[in-house]
Amino acid sequence: MGAYYDEIEIEDMVWDAEKGVFHYPCPCGDRFEISRRQLADYEDIATCPSCSLVIRVIYDPLDFEDEPDDEEDGAESEEEEEEDSDDDQAFEDAMENLSVSESAPVAVAV
């Protein structure tokens, strides 16, 4: 990435526990945002959801190395696990019921 609007130290940003992001005011009126997970993954670019400006966040990556894999306390919710299980089961059922017929040729437009 070539040009940043600014470089901001993490200490100058505000933690929003409800959204789970650090934020900093953007000139457009919205806020630059970056999550703890992004910081743990060595991503130092905070983006504004309303415009094309980006800032570079100056921080110590070692402060974020022990972040859980998911932002929700390191575990999926039971509802998400059930949805994944339902999707897997539907896929397996579809594969079991799949039949391929070689009797009729299929025309393909080029």
Side-chain angles (χ1 to χ4, degrees):
M1 170 132 323
Y4 307 110
Y5 169 71
D6 203 353
E7 292 185 351
I8 305 296
E9 293 192 25
I10 192 75
E11 292 83 14
D12 295 331
M13 299 182 82
V14 177
W15 173 248
D16 183 343
E18 187 174 311
K19 290 182 74 177
V21 296
F22 287 95
H23 63 85
Y24 188 81
C26 179
C28 77
D30 206 342
R31 306 179 305 186
F32 295 103
E33 298 179 342
I34 191 165
S35 70
R36 295 180 66 87
R37 178 80 251 150
Q38 288 174 292
L39 295 169
D41 289 339
Y42 302 97
E43 296 178 32
D44 64 351
I45 306 301
T47 59
C48 176
S50 297
C51 71
S52 62
L53 293 177
V54 296
I55 58 172
R56 181 170 177 259
V57 179
I58 300 169
Y59 73 106
D60 183 0
L62 298 178
D63 292 341
F64 298 92
E65 71 180 0
D66 294 331
E67 287 300 307
D69 288 339
D70 295 323
E71 293 177 358
E72 302 280 331
D73 295 328
E76 289 186 22
S77 70
E78 288 181 27
E79 185 176 304
E80 289 173 344
E81 288 177 7
E82 287 176 17
E83 288 176 11
D84 289 345
S85 176
D86 291 343
D87 290 345
D88 291 343
Q89 185 61 43
F91 177 77
E92 289 175 15
D93 291 344
M95 290 302 290
E96 287 176 9
N97 296 326
L98 180 66
S99 63
V100 179
S101 172
E102 295 183 24
S103 60
V106 177
V108 178
V110 180

